[in-house]
Structures are given as C-alpha cells and as structure tokens.
C-alpha cells in the first residue's frame, strides 16, 4: 500500500457486533415464544423494512437504492439472498421455540466451515498452514457433536448452508449493505403481509393484537433484525469470507452457554470436547492473523 493510499476499513467491529446480537437472540425469542414461528417471521420482515427506510432516509441513500433497482442481475441476486435469509429465520425461530437450542447452536458452528469452503473454492481465498490446522481442529469437534445429534442435524445443516450462501451472495452483489438489506426486505414484504393477514383471519387470531407488550416485542424484532444484518453485510464486504467465518464462532458459543444457563439443557462430554476443540481452533486462527499483521507492519530493511 502506498503512503497516499487510504487503508482498507476493517469489518471486524461490525462482525463482532452482529455476532454478539445474534448470540443473545434466544433471550429475545423467549419474549415472543407464544407467537407461531411462521407468523413471527412474517412480522419480523414487516417491521424490518421501516427500520431500514428510516436509516436510508437519515443517510440519504435513496439514490443508491434506485441505482441498484436498475441492475436486473443485482435485484435477482438480492431476491435469492432474501429467500435464503427468510428460510434461515424460520428454521432458527422454530428450533428455539421447540427447545432445540443446541441444534441451532450447532448450525452456526458448522456455518464457519461452510464459509471457509465457499471462500476457498469460489472466492479463491487462501489459508495458511496454521489456519488449516485450526479448520481441522474445529471440524473434528463439530463432527463429534454432529454424530450425537443426527435426529436434529437437518436443522443445523439448513441453518449453516442457508446463512453461508446468503453471506456469499451479499459479498458478491455490487450493492451497499443498507440499500441491499432494504431491497431484500421490500422483496419479502408482500409474502410477509400475506402471512400476517392469514393469521389475522384465522380462528386463533393474530398475535400482534394479543397485548400491547407482545405487540411492542414483535415490533422490536424489526430493529433486532435490521441492525445486525446491516453490520454483517458491511463486514462481509470488507473481510475475507474465511476470516469472517471464524469470527462467527462467537455467536453459537453464546447460544451454547445460554442453552446451559437459561434453557437448562444438559451438557454432555462430547459437547464439552467440541467446545474445547472449537475455541482452541479459534485461538490458533486469531494468533496466526495477529502474527501476519505484526509481520506486515515491520519496516522493510533498505539496502
């Protein structure tokens, strides 16, 4: 990098912020646990769009949205990414409501490995020897955990592949993070309103007019959806996808701990071993990244 060239912005703060919010998301879902998963995802989409539009207005990014809508390929890619994130939300909310907290956690433990696979195969990213050791360690731990959860493995795999593919699409589409999220939310709005209307007309009625507290909790889901997804989209565009994947171990680790402390799930030896493997792998990965940064900052000796 030359002296006059601005350094590339880091996406790490945004990645950490997104994964911390997602890690604690099961606590929020306890507030809306009486809302059917399908209905809740519908309302979640409905209330995400106003949040996005408010931020777009504040940042003056409506021209960027108009420009993106003129790009047919970008709109098609955002349509695919919108479908993927909707599937991800639906499976995740249903899993938490059914008490399958570890299955949800395992999905986001598998997700970084899928990120690394996509990053190396599709984006041609390269890992160092130490990073491959970290990947192997994490894979061993996750394989042991998955072997003990075969009945719910479909939940974990759906979460892992849907979110990894979502991130890959968002990384490649030439649309800014906020305009892209706004377009995704708009694409999903009509189906979401249809779901909300169907529940409203059903005999059990809509959860949204059940009580003021529940209605406000549902509306708050829009903010909890838009903000971390916006941070993730920024991080995905700024960071190597493989590195972003390893940062993601933070979210399922928080969910894992919540499963033990809040949801009262039993800790088995295989789960403890998996947890140790993954965090040792993360430590190796971070150590290698820091070593590379220190080496890059060392002045090159002149002749």
């Amino acid at each position: 990098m030359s002296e006059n060239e601005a350094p590339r912005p880091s996406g790490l703060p945004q990645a950490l912020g997104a994964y911390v919010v997602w890690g604690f998301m099961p606590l929020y879902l306890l507030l809306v646990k009486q809302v059917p998963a399908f209905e809740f995802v519908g309302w979640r989409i409905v209330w995400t769009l106003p949040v996005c539009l408010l931020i777009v207005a504040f940042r003056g990014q409506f021209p960027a949205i108009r420009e993106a809508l003129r790009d047919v390929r970008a709109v098609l890619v955002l349509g695919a990414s919108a479908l993927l994130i909707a599937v991800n939300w639906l499976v995740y909310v249903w899993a938490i409501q059914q008490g399958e907290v570890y299955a949800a956690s395992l999905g986001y433990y598998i997700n970084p490995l899928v990120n690394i696979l996509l990053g190396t195969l599709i984006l041609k990213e390269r890992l160092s020897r130490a990073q491959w050791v970290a990947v192997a360690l994490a894979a061993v731990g996750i394989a042991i955990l998955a072997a003990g959860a075969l009945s719910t493995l479909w939940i974990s795999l759906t979460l892992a592949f849907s979110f990894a593919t979502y991130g890959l699409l968002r990384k490649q589409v030439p649309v800014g993070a906020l305009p892209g999220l706004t377009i995704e939310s708009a694409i999903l709005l009509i189906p979401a309103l249809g779901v909300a209307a169907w529940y409203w007309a059903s005999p059990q009625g809509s959860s949204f007019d059940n009580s003021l507290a529940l209605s406000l909790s549902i509306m708050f889901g829009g903010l909890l959806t838009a903000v971390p997804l916006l941070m993730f989209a920024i991080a995905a565009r700024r960071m190597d996808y493989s590195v972003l994947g390893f940062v993601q171990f933070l979210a399922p680790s928080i969910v894992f701990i919540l499963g033990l402390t809040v949801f009262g799930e039993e800790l088995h030896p295989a789960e403890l071993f998996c947890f140790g493997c993954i965090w040792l792998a993360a430590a190796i990965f971070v150590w290698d990244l820091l070593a590379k940064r220190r080496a890059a900052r060392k002045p090159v000796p002149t002749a």
Side-chain angles (χ1 to χ4, degrees):
M1 184 172 65
S2 64
E3 291 182 3
N4 296 326
E5 186 181 347
R8 182 187 177 188
S10 170
L12 183 59
Q14 290 84 358
L16 291 173
Y19 291 139
V20 167
V21 173
W22 284 330
F24 285 101
M25 187 66 75
L27 296 181
Y28 162 70
L29 294 178
L30 286 176
L31 297 177
V32 293
K33 62 183 179 180
Q34 65 265 53
V35 184
F38 205 56
E39 182 188 7
F40 175 71
V41 171
W43 284 119
R44 187 175 182 178
I45 294 165
V46 168
W47 291 109
T48 296
L49 184 57
V51 174
C52 290
L53 290 174
L54 283 174
I55 303 174
V56 165
F58 178 76
R59 299 180 65 177
Q61 288 189 294
F62 282 111
I65 292 178
R66 286 195 294 270
E67 182 180 351
L69 290 174
R70 295 190 191 103
D71 187 338
V72 176
R73 179 185 174 277
V75 173
L76 290 175
V77 173
L78 288 172
S81 63
L83 178 61
L84 286 167
I85 199 63
V87 169
N88 184 273
W89 290 343
L90 179 61
V91 174
Y92 183 78
V93 172
W94 181 86
I96 297 297
Q97 288 184 345
Q98 298 300 312
E100 301 291 353
V101 180
Y102 280 158
S105 176
L106 176 59
Y108 291 109
Y109 273 136
I110 296 172
N111 185 212
L113 299 183
V114 181
N115 282 8
I116 291 166
L117 178 66
L118 295 176
T120 53
L121 293 181
I122 298 176
L123 302 179
K124 307 303 180 185
E125 296 173 356
R126 293 184 177 181
L127 299 183
S128 68
R129 191 171 300 174
Q131 289 171 344
W132 276 118
V133 169
V135 170
L137 258 177
V140 168
I142 291 167
I144 292 173
L145 190 58
L150 293 179
S151 62
T152 57
L153 192 56
W154 69 269
I155 297 173
S156 307
L157 292 176
T158 302
L159 291 174
F161 280 90
S162 60
F163 195 71
T165 310
Y166 169 80
L168 179 68
L169 293 178
R170 286 307 309 270
K171 186 175 180 66
Q172 294 185 302
V173 69
V175 179
L178 180 58
L181 178 57
T182 306
I183 293 171
E184 286 175 338
S185 302
I187 289 171
L188 293 172
L189 181 63
I190 299 301
L193 287 173
V195 169
W198 187 84
Y199 274 94
W200 213 303
S202 66
Q204 69 266 30
S206 171
S207 300
F208 192 69
D209 61 357
N210 187 288
S211 69
L212 177 61
L214 182 58
S215 298
L216 291 175
S217 297
I218 292 172
M219 292 173 66
F220 187 57
L223 186 65
L224 283 181
T225 298
V227 172
L229 267 180
L230 175 58
M231 290 190 290
F232 172 80
I234 293 172
R237 291 177 65 84
R238 292 180 179 179
M239 299 175 69
D240 285 347
Y241 207 46
S242 303
V243 176
L244 180 63
F246 251 83
V247 178
Q248 188 180 340
F249 278 131
L250 177 62
S253 296
I254 295 173
V255 175
F256 186 89
I257 293 170
L258 290 177
L260 290 175
T261 58
V262 177
F263 292 87
E265 295 201 16
E266 185 181 354
L267 178 64
H268 299 101
E271 291 159 350
L272 186 60
F273 179 78
C274 171
F275 194 75
C277 282
I278 287 169
W279 277 101
L280 178 58
I284 293 172
F285 203 92
V286 171
W287 170 82
D288 187 67
L289 287 176
L290 292 176
K292 284 183 176 178
R293 286 191 178 183
R294 284 194 297 267
R297 288 174 183 170
K298 286 184 180 178
V300 179
T302 56

